[in-house]
Amino acid sequence: MSIRTFELANKNGIAMTVTNYGCAIISLRVPGKDGKTRDIVLGLDNAEDYASKAHPYFGSICGRVANRVGNARFTLDGKEYNLEANDGPHHLHGGLVGFDKKLWTVEEVAANKLVFSLVSPDGDGGYPGKLVAYCIYQLTDDNILRIDYRAETDTKTVCNLTNHSYFNLEGHDSSNIYNHEMQIFADKYTPVDETLIPTGKLADVAGTPFDFRDVKLVGQDIDAAGGFDHNYVLREEGVAASVYSPVSGIRMTVKTNSPGMQFYSGNFIDGTVQGKGVTYQKHSGFCLETQFFPDAVNKPEFASAVVTADCPQEFYTKFKFEW
Ligand code: GLA
């Protein structure tokens, strides 16, 4: 197996570049209302760089469990499992060599569809069970980037797959995301402690900087929020978020059947990562990571990220673009 690069395109001028290393979306070019096509995701120069350079999960698939597992451990059927701690005492995005740092098998290549698979052996990163993950990217002619996630296991285990693309609808080389008009269709979020582990409560967004029920500029309350890095409790299957850039005229609508969505405003990007001719800075891009709630494996009150041999996990995320 080797690191490969693929191009998907649709008939309306959207095109994307993807590598099988971490299933990373390297670029996503979308036309704007001014007729100019912009690359709207942060990324590195080429596929090889994803394997050799440190980067904050640009465009990659995170797993086996995306987001944080508190104190890097969990208990399943009375047995404790210890995971790699790579975020202080916690486990983040699958540990030191998460799914973003694996070379995925290319199962299918078509003009508008890519199918990747990954075998995660029993004990991988500390997780029980041999898990087979699938990531399917489709770029449709109705301007939807659809991502399907599937996880099959031979033994009861936990799994939470997401894509970690950083978007900037003004273009990846634009300075920041403050002028994006954001709407998140959630009444509640999961408050966190100072190490970003949820307290277990579901709190109302009303009266907090996290309230995006009505359209609000990302920059308006970003300081009051201490930067966004929070999981939203989605109301129901369907529209999770809608984001618009008055600069490009591009609107991105996110739909999913996942219970939660992490809104991350690129708080940890610090001017040390360069890609595609740009030095990325704090708040250069935002992520809308559809997923189970963080630390769900330790929070019985959260929707369960457990997957069994009888019941594979299946989730989708659709990013629809209009201009
Ligand atoms: C996720 C986390 C953030 C951060 C980024 C990667 O979005 O929630 O806290 O770890 O990944 O930098």
Side-chain angles (χ1 to χ4, degrees), residues 12-256:
N12 303 317
I14 304 184
M16 63 191 273
T17 309
V18 175
T19 170
N20 58 328
Y21 189 87
C23 281
I25 297 173
I26 300 176
S27 70
L28 177 60
R29 279 101 62 206
V30 178
K33 70 165 180 236
D34 52 4
K36 186 175 153 192
T37 295
R38 295 167 173 82
D39 180 356
I40 58 159
V41 291
L42 280 52
L44 304 180
D45 286 353
N46 54 55
E48 288 70 27
D49 282 1
Y50 285 77
S52 60
K53 292 191 173 168
H55 69 94
Y57 306 89
F58 279 160
S60 306
I61 297 295
C62 297
R64 192 181 286 200
V65 171
N67 215 314
R68 291 174 177 77
V69 176
N71 295 313
R73 61 169 183 256
F74 68 98
T75 304
L76 193 59
D77 289 342
K79 188 165 175 214
E80 186 172 280
Y81 295 93
N82 289 291
L83 306 173
E84 292 158 359
N86 60 331
D87 186 52
H90 309 307
H91 176 85
L92 176 67
H93 295 326
L96 298 170
V97 188
F99 288 8
D100 61 294
K101 294 182 187 64
K102 307 253 184 172
L103 196 56
W104 291 58
T105 301
V106 182
E107 299 277 358
E108 188 187 328
V109 181
N112 62 355
K113 183 179 182 186
L114 295 167
V115 181
F116 299 105
S117 72
L118 179 71
V119 177
S120 172
D122 183 24
D124 191 15
Y127 292 101
K130 175 182 162 193
L131 184 108
V132 185
Y134 293 87
C135 168
I136 304 170
Y137 289 123
Q138 292 183 81
L139 188 56
T140 71
D141 282 335
D142 49 3
N143 302 332
I144 293 172
L145 163 58
R146 178 179 173 123
I147 309 176
D148 283 278
Y149 307 95
R150 182 178 168 86
E152 299 168 357
T153 182
D154 62 355
T155 313
K156 195 173 187 182
T157 188
V158 289
C159 185
N160 181 21
L161 302 175
T162 195
N163 177 279
H164 207 293
S165 285
Y166 292 74
F167 297 94
N168 187 323
L169 303 182
E170 297 178 10
H172 77 103
D173 48 355
S174 160
S175 53
N176 61 54
I177 52 171
Y178 302 151
N179 289 323
H180 286 65
E181 298 173 5
M182 173 74 72
Q183 192 170 16
I184 300 177
F185 298 90
D187 305 303
K188 293 184 182 287
Y189 74 111
T190 50
V192 288
D193 67 17
E194 61 286 351
T195 66
L196 300 177
I197 298 295
T199 59
K201 293 202 170 60
L202 306 184
D204 290 333
V205 294
T208 75
F210 310 108
D211 189 353
F212 281 94
R213 291 173 298 169
D214 294 324
V215 177
K216 187 170 79 177
L217 289 182
V218 168
Q220 184 176 313
D221 291 336
I222 198 167
D223 290 338
F228 297 103
D229 197 355
H230 294 81
N231 167 70
Y232 285 81
V233 180
L234 299 177
R235 282 181 196 151
E236 56 192 27
E237 178 171 347
V239 189
S242 180
V243 200
Y244 178 73
S245 161
V247 172
S248 63
I250 298 173
R251 175 175 298 282
M252 182 173 84
T253 308
V254 186
K255 288 189 179 179
T256 186

